[in-house]
Amino acid sequence: MDKEKIIELTKEYVYSELHNDGSGHDWYHIVRVTNLAKTIAFEEKADPYICELAALLHDIADEKLNSSEAEGLQKVEHWINSAGVDRITTQHVISIISTMSFKGGNQPKMTTLEGKVVQDADRLDAIGAIGIARTFAYAGSKGELIYDPELKPRETMTKKQYRNGKSTAINHFYEKLLKLKESMNTNYGKQLAEERHQIMERYLQDFFNEWKISDQ
Ligand code: ADP
Ligand code: NI
């Protein structure tokens, strides 16, 4: 099968798996990450086919959507084999996805340019205006508060230290989102992250200004 056909079939497969998802991994997250990955791949001269395939499949193995990470990876492997993807591409894509879905404390570093590109694309969709929207949607879906002024100034607490093990949407900026800019891999990814980081900084300033006013 040619590359174009494989991409088309992969889009259909991922759509069928994720279009009903409410955990922040909906189909349009995949569309945005795939488009960002293609743009960064072009600027960084990475292989566009590997980047597109890995971006499309990157959340299929997520532990939130499977009973285990290993099961999720098997699902991706099964799909990719049935689509007739060549062995070298398969190995590369699986290694990118397994590194990305690793959620432990010491996340292994991406070793290939294509992996760096796709990871940057996923991180970019977690910050900026869209990242802000996703954070509040996710927090709402978990029954978390927008912000808890009684716990101020503890915005830098990690989730584990937080009351009832729950974070708040605003806390999530401090525990993760504001740190992502520093963890970008590629030069072009860093440039895009800079703009999106500033949007979040401005947003938080406005948020706390309005909160102060509504306190009076
Ligand atoms: P992905 O795997 O696509 O990078 P995650 O599964 O880590 O994303 O999270 C999905 C979305 O929900 C992201 O935008 C992330 O920032 C947001 N999110 C994750 N955990 C929390 C939380 N505790 N509170 C608010 N938002 C969160
Ligand atoms: Ni993702």
Side-chain angles (χ1 to χ4, degrees), residues 161-175:
Q161 295 166 305
Y162 227 79
R163 193 167 66 174
N164 306 328
K166 274 192 182 177
S167 182
T168 68
I170 291 294
N171 190 54
H172 189 62
F173 286 84
Y174 296 91
E175 64 190 10

Side-chain angles (χ1 to χ4, degrees), residues 11 27 31 44-45 53 59 62 97 123 162 181 215:
K11 282 182 184 164
W27 168 243
V31 172
E44 299 284 336
K45 301 185 176 47
L53 210 48
D59 269 338
D62 194 281
I97 295 173
R123 285 176 172 162
Y162 227 79
K181 179 175 74 120
D215 259 359

Side-chain angles (χ1 to χ4, degrees), residues 25 29 59 64 122 134-135 138 144 159 172 176-177:
H25 299 102
H29 165 64
D59 269 338
K64 294 191 199 78
D122 196 31
R134 288 180 78 208
T135 300
Y138 182 98
E144 293 180 356
K159 201 146 104 189
H172 189 62
K176 179 174 169 193
L177 307 183

Side-chain angles (χ1 to χ4, degrees), residues 75-111:
K75 205 157 95 183
V76 176
E77 219 163 335
H78 181 78
W79 159 258
I80 221 167
N81 285 332
S82 70
V85 177
D86 67 89
R87 202 171 51 85
I88 292 176
T89 304
T90 299
Q91 278 171 357
H92 195 164
V93 169
I94 294 286
S95 112
I96 293 173
I97 295 173
S98 57
T99 310
M100 278 181 75
S101 64
F102 187 87
K103 289 283 188 320
N106 304 311
Q107 193 162 16
K109 271 204 173 293
M110 280 295 175
T111 51

